[in-house]
Short mmCIF file of all heavy atoms in Angstrom, two decimals:
data_model
loop_
_atom_site.label_atom_id
_atom_site.label_comp_id
_atom_site.label_asym_id
_atom_site.label_seq_id
_atom_site.Cartn_x
_atom_site.Cartn_y
_atom_site.Cartn_z
N GLN X 90 1.80 -7.63 41.54
CA GLN X 90 1.31 -8.65 40.61
C GLN X 90 0.04 -8.19 39.90
O GLN X 90 -0.17 -8.50 38.73
CB GLN X 90 1.05 -9.95 41.38
CG GLN X 90 0.66 -11.12 40.50
CD GLN X 90 1.80 -11.55 39.57
OE1 GLN X 90 2.96 -11.55 39.98
NE2 GLN X 90 1.47 -11.92 38.33
N GLU X 92 -0.90 -5.17 38.94
CA GLU X 92 -0.58 -4.26 37.83
C GLU X 92 0.07 -5.01 36.68
O GLU X 92 -0.20 -4.75 35.51
CB GLU X 92 0.35 -3.14 38.32
CG GLU X 92 0.51 -1.99 37.36
CD GLU X 92 -0.72 -1.12 37.26
OE1 GLU X 92 -1.55 -1.14 38.19
OE2 GLU X 92 -0.86 -0.42 36.24
N PHE X 93 0.93 -5.95 37.00
CA PHE X 93 1.60 -6.77 35.98
C PHE X 93 0.57 -7.57 35.18
O PHE X 93 0.62 -7.63 33.95
CB PHE X 93 2.60 -7.69 36.65
CG PHE X 93 3.32 -8.63 35.71
CD1 PHE X 93 4.26 -8.14 34.82
CD2 PHE X 93 3.04 -9.99 35.70
CE1 PHE X 93 4.93 -8.99 33.95
CE2 PHE X 93 3.69 -10.84 34.84
CZ PHE X 93 4.64 -10.35 33.96
N ASP X 94 -0.37 -8.17 35.89
CA ASP X 94 -1.41 -8.96 35.23
C ASP X 94 -2.28 -8.08 34.34
O ASP X 94 -2.73 -8.51 33.27
CB ASP X 94 -2.28 -9.67 36.26
CG ASP X 94 -1.54 -10.80 36.97
OD1 ASP X 94 -0.51 -11.25 36.44
OD2 ASP X 94 -1.98 -11.21 38.06
N LYS X 95 -2.54 -6.83 34.77
CA LYS X 95 -3.32 -5.91 33.95
C LYS X 95 -2.63 -5.62 32.63
O LYS X 95 -3.28 -5.58 31.57
CB LYS X 95 -3.55 -4.60 34.71
CG LYS X 95 -4.66 -4.64 35.74
CD LYS X 95 -4.74 -3.33 36.51
CE LYS X 95 -4.98 -2.15 35.60
NZ LYS X 95 -5.10 -0.89 36.38
N VAL X 96 -1.33 -5.43 32.67
CA VAL X 96 -0.58 -5.13 31.45
C VAL X 96 -0.59 -6.34 30.52
O VAL X 96 -0.79 -6.21 29.31
CB VAL X 96 0.86 -4.70 31.78
CG1 VAL X 96 1.69 -4.58 30.51
CG2 VAL X 96 0.85 -3.37 32.52
N LYS X 97 -0.36 -7.52 31.07
CA LYS X 97 -0.38 -8.74 30.25
C LYS X 97 -1.73 -8.92 29.58
O LYS X 97 -1.80 -9.24 28.39
CB LYS X 97 -0.06 -9.96 31.12
CG LYS X 97 1.39 -10.10 31.53
CD LYS X 97 1.62 -11.35 32.37
CE LYS X 97 1.30 -12.62 31.61
NZ LYS X 97 1.58 -13.83 32.41
N ALA X 98 -2.80 -8.71 30.34
CA ALA X 98 -4.14 -8.87 29.79
C ALA X 98 -4.42 -7.83 28.71
O ALA X 98 -5.04 -8.12 27.68
CB ALA X 98 -5.17 -8.77 30.90
N PHE X 99 -3.96 -6.60 28.94
CA PHE X 99 -4.17 -5.53 27.97
C PHE X 99 -3.47 -5.85 26.65
O PHE X 99 -4.07 -5.71 25.57
CB PHE X 99 -3.62 -4.21 28.55
CG PHE X 99 -3.63 -3.07 27.58
CD1 PHE X 99 -4.81 -2.42 27.26
CD2 PHE X 99 -2.45 -2.63 27.00
CE1 PHE X 99 -4.81 -1.35 26.37
CE2 PHE X 99 -2.44 -1.57 26.10
CZ PHE X 99 -3.63 -0.93 25.80
N ILE X 100 -2.22 -6.29 26.72
CA ILE X 100 -1.48 -6.65 25.51
C ILE X 100 -2.18 -7.80 24.79
O ILE X 100 -2.31 -7.80 23.56
CB ILE X 100 -0.03 -7.01 25.86
CG1 ILE X 100 0.70 -5.79 26.41
CG2 ILE X 100 0.70 -7.56 24.62
CD1 ILE X 100 2.09 -6.09 26.97
N GLY X 101 -2.64 -8.78 25.56
CA GLY X 101 -3.34 -9.91 24.97
C GLY X 101 -4.62 -9.50 24.27
O GLY X 101 -4.91 -9.96 23.15
N ARG X 102 -5.40 -8.63 24.91
CA ARG X 102 -6.66 -8.17 24.31
C ARG X 102 -6.41 -7.39 23.03
O ARG X 102 -7.09 -7.59 22.02
CB ARG X 102 -7.44 -7.27 25.30
CG ARG X 102 -8.13 -8.01 26.42
CD ARG X 102 -9.14 -7.11 27.11
NE ARG X 102 -8.56 -5.85 27.59
CZ ARG X 102 -7.98 -5.70 28.76
NH1 ARG X 102 -7.86 -6.74 29.59
NH2 ARG X 102 -7.49 -4.52 29.13
N GLN X 139 8.84 -12.81 31.77
CA GLN X 139 7.56 -13.50 31.83
C GLN X 139 6.47 -12.96 30.91
O GLN X 139 5.50 -13.67 30.63
CB GLN X 139 7.02 -13.47 33.27
CG GLN X 139 7.90 -14.15 34.29
CD GLN X 139 7.31 -14.10 35.69
OE1 GLN X 139 6.10 -13.99 35.87
NE2 GLN X 139 8.17 -14.17 36.70
N CYS X 140 6.58 -11.73 30.46
CA CYS X 140 5.50 -11.13 29.68
C CYS X 140 5.67 -11.43 28.19
O CYS X 140 6.60 -10.93 27.56
CB CYS X 140 5.44 -9.62 29.92
SG CYS X 140 3.95 -8.86 29.24
N ASP X 141 4.77 -12.23 27.67
CA ASP X 141 4.80 -12.58 26.25
C ASP X 141 4.08 -11.48 25.46
O ASP X 141 2.86 -11.35 25.54
CB ASP X 141 4.13 -13.93 26.03
CG ASP X 141 4.21 -14.40 24.58
OD1 ASP X 141 4.82 -13.68 23.76
OD2 ASP X 141 3.67 -15.47 24.28
#
Side-chain angles (χ1 to χ4, degrees):
Q90 186 65 39
E92 192 72 21
F93 178 71
D94 290 342
K95 280 176 59 178
V96 172
K97 286 181 63 177
F99 173 75
I100 295 172
R102 285 194 306 273
Q139 299 181 25
C140 191
D141 184 2

